Amino acid sequence: MMNTYTAKGRLDANTLLKQYSPLVRRLAHQMIAKLPANVELDDLIQVGMIGLSDALTRFDAAQGVQFETFATQRIRGAMLDELRGNDWMSRGDRRHQRTIETALRKLEQTLGRAPHESEIAQEMGLSLTAYQELLGKVRGTQLIHLEDMSGDEGDDDYLDRHVIDNDANPLALLQDRRMREALVEAIKNLPEREQYVMSMYYEHDMNLKEIAAVLKVTESRVCQLHSQSIARLRSRLRAW
């Protein structure tokens, strides 16, 4: 922490905020890689900067801890608090998504292939238009919900176990690898257009407007395709 003190011997907050902002971004990228798609990176970074500011206020060099180590704990803590404090999807939307997943799973077992939208709508007793409107309603849904990963009595430590220090947990690394392999295989079995959407959205970091332009459809249609892809993947991964 050279050159990070003012003339009065106090920590230079502005200098340190600038110096350690890359740390905030790095931690946010590490964390968001294991979180649902609708968690915004910028939100994590903003909260992380607040955690960094808090670390500057609370840091005491006399405790014998390096500032970066102390700051990392405060930044991660701020991000986790923010994640715990947000309900990423309403109960109603979760219920709708499970209904779609149930229909998908039943049709896949019956047909032996990925069902078409019209078939899913019919299975749910909806018109195609009503089904597509429902897909739009659950836009931004998550591939994995915290409640999916909880035990019979709930699991309040999910974020801590799956977001923090996984590198030190061989079992977690093995589970992550198996999950990735299962996810890659599930994506390969998506209908072609949905594969394109997932690839452009997650691999190429394209926004909905850009994807819509490539596919020559509306943004709302991209949202529907994305939601349907997520439902298909969740249905497959539940059996994993």
Side-chain angles (χ1 to χ4, degrees):
M1 289 176 56
M2 297 178 62
N3 301 321
T4 55
Y5 288 88
T6 65
K8 295 183 178 180
R10 297 177 180 174
L11 284 175
D12 187 339
N14 290 332
T15 298
L16 283 171
L17 284 173
K18 183 177 181 179
Q19 179 178 339
Y20 286 98
S21 60
L23 172 64
V24 174
R25 295 190 63 84
R26 184 167 69 251
L27 292 173
H29 277 282
Q30 291 173 354
M31 188 172 290
I32 205 165
K34 302 173 185 178
L35 291 170
N38 60 312
V39 178
E40 295 289 341
L41 177 64
D42 288 345
D43 290 344
L44 282 184
I45 292 174
Q46 183 176 4
V47 173
M49 290 302 294
I50 295 174
L52 176 58
S53 297
D54 182 58
L56 292 174
T57 302
R58 297 174 181 271
F59 180 67
D60 183 0
Q63 296 296 321
V65 179
Q66 290 189 354
F67 177 75
E68 182 167 339
T69 301
F70 180 77
T72 297
Q73 294 174 344
R74 303 301 300 187
I75 293 166
R76 279 177 169 163
M79 292 177 180
L80 288 170
D81 286 344
E82 175 70 11
L83 292 169
R84 291 190 181 99
N86 284 301
D87 183 8
W88 297 328
M89 184 188 289
S90 71
R91 291 180 183 275
D93 286 344
R94 288 193 183 102
R95 185 171 60 251
H96 289 316
Q97 187 180 46
R98 288 197 184 94
T99 301
I100 295 172
E101 291 170 24
T102 299
L104 276 165
R105 192 156 49 247
K106 181 178 179 180
L107 287 169
E108 285 176 350
Q109 292 172 351
T110 302
L111 301 172
R113 59 169 172 79
H116 304 305
E117 279 181 291
S118 58
E119 294 170 329
I120 302 169
Q122 183 176 6
E123 175 65 28
M124 295 177 65
L126 299 173
S127 67
L128 180 58
T129 299
Y131 171 64
Q132 291 177 338
E133 288 177 352
L134 186 60
L135 286 175
K137 184 176 181 181
V138 297
R139 61 172 295 180
T141 56
Q142 302 152 320
L143 184 57
I144 300 174
H145 299 308
L146 300 190
E147 60 192 41
D148 292 339
M149 306 298 292
S150 64
D152 293 337
E153 299 180 359
D155 183 359
D156 293 333
D157 297 324
Y158 172 84
L159 285 170
D160 300 286
R161 293 189 295 103
H162 289 264
V163 175
I164 296 181
D165 295 333
N166 269 0
D167 289 343
N169 187 337
L171 178 58
L173 287 173
L174 178 62
Q175 290 173 333
D176 284 348
R177 186 174 70 251
R178 287 177 176 172
M179 174 61 112
R180 285 196 298 271
E181 291 172 353
L183 180 58
V184 168
E185 187 62 29
I187 290 175
K188 288 179 181 178
N189 290 314
L190 288 175
E192 187 175 40
R193 175 164 282 200
E194 292 177 30
Q195 286 189 44
Y196 289 151
V197 170
M198 298 298 281
S199 175
M200 286 186 279
Y201 192 83
Y202 293 103
E203 292 183 35
H204 301 288
D205 199 27
M206 295 171 65
N207 59 39
L208 298 180
K209 184 177 182 179
E210 292 169 335
I211 297 173
V214 171
L215 297 181
K216 294 181 171 40
V217 296
T218 64
E219 287 185 52
S220 63
R221 180 57 180 154
V222 174
C223 284
Q224 293 168 3
L225 291 170
H226 177 260
S227 294
Q228 186 164 263
S229 300
I230 292 295
R232 292 187 198 274
L233 294 175
R234 281 175 54 82
S235 177
R236 295 280 179 86
L237 292 177
R238 280 185 182 278
W240 167 77

